[in-house]
Every structure is written in structure tokens, then in C-alpha cells.
Amino acid sequence: MAQRHNINATLERSPVGMGIRKICQIVKIGDFTDGGSTSGYVDLGNKLPAGSFVIGTKVDVSEAFTGDGSAVLSVGISDTPNAFANDINVFTAGVKGESNYTQAQQYREAETTVRLTVTSDSDFTEISAGRLRIDLYYLSTEPELLNNYLDRYDR
């Protein structure tokens, strides 16, 4: 039987040295902090590691963010809330994806906290429901896999 190899380990330990990763988290309306006006935010538990490049986002809205006239999601960091994605409609359920190419592919020199911001039509506190799963995909330039993965360099 042929040995199975981890493709991500092969990418990461190759001369290119990049692995494809993602941060994934389920977020409910109750997890958000009211921003005091039309928006609310939540910081994700897992952080982007230093040496990463964000390549895109996927949002699976399983329960629409309803109660106000509209609701859109931005994905970014505290001082640039739309750094990775902007104006993703979370007022309706479904799977959506986006990448803000002007800022997403910038090299992250330090570990970075990812912030989700939902902006409503008039007042964030009027949003009464909402649940989503965020997948933030990135390229990692730092080894994150343990050495116990087989790859084509282990011969």
C-alpha cells in the first residue's frame, strides 16, 4: 500500500514554504458587542499568525440577521473593519464569499485579531436574530504543522 502524504505539509515544507489555512468560527447575534450606533462587532478567538496573507472569506449565514431594515457584514481588524471583506449581506441566509483584494493580500507582520462587524439600517440593537459561520482563508509563510506529517521530502 502506498504511503499517504499530507498535501499541506508538502506545500509548507517545500522550497515555496506556504501552507493554506483557515480560521473558522460560529458567531451568534448574542456574541456581538453593541458599537453604540448602527453597528456591532465581535473579535474572533483564533488570530491570524504573523507571516500570513489573507486570500478570501466564506460566510455561511444559517440564520438571517433580522429585526432591522438591513444587515451587512465586514471582516477586518479593529482599525480597518473592512480589510478582508466588505458589505456581505447577512440579512438573508445562504453561503456568500468575498475578498477585499486591496487590503487582504497584505503581509501580516504580527499576529492579528480578526474582527467581524455587522452594520444595520438604523440601530444595531434592533437586530433580534442571526447566526453565521465565518471561514477566513489565508496563506501561512511560517511552519504551523508538526513534523509527524509525512510529505514527499520524507523519503
Side-chain angles (χ1 to χ4, degrees):
M1 180 177 203
Q3 286 186 332
R4 296 186 187 268
H5 298 284
N6 182 305
I7 190 72
N8 229 12
T10 300
L11 282 171
E12 195 170 279
R13 293 170 63 192
S14 74
V16 174
M18 283 196 174
I20 301 169
R21 304 274 185 276
K22 77 174 179 177
I23 293 174
C24 179
Q25 187 170 326
I26 294 174
V27 180
K28 302 178 295 283
I29 189 63
D31 299 332
F32 284 81
T33 299
D34 181 10
S37 182
T38 60
S39 66
Y41 67 90
V42 62
D43 291 336
L44 298 184
N46 291 324
K47 298 180 180 193
L48 282 171
S52 61
F53 296 86
V54 173
I55 56 176
T57 58
K58 181 176 99 174
V59 179
D60 184 354
V61 181
S62 57
E63 181 181 357
F65 284 67
T66 59
D68 201 357
S70 67
V72 293
L73 174 74
S74 295
V75 183
I77 54 180
S78 62
D79 62 343
T80 312
N82 63 346
F84 309 133
N86 194 35
D87 291 339
I88 298 172
N89 180 1
V90 293
F91 194 65
T92 58
V95 177
K96 301 112 192 286
E98 183 185 321
S99 181
N100 182 351
Y101 284 108
T102 59
Q103 297 185 30
Q105 294 179 349
Q106 292 178 359
Y107 180 78
R108 297 283 148 195
E109 292 182 9
E111 186 177 70
T112 304
T113 300
V114 177
R115 176 167 285 185
L116 305 184
T117 304
V118 170
T119 303
S120 66
D121 187 36
S122 60
D123 188 345
F124 178 77
T125 60
E126 292 182 14
I127 298 176
S128 57
R131 184 176 190 270
L132 63 82
R133 186 185 81 203
I134 178 82
D135 294 320
L136 182 72
Y137 297 92
Y138 64 94
L139 295 174
S140 174
T141 61
E142 299 295 326
E144 295 178 36
L145 295 176
L146 301 173
N147 286 331
N148 62 350
Y149 286 96
L150 288 177
D151 65 27
R152 68 186 190 139
Y153 301 103
D154 293 324
R155 293 180 197 222

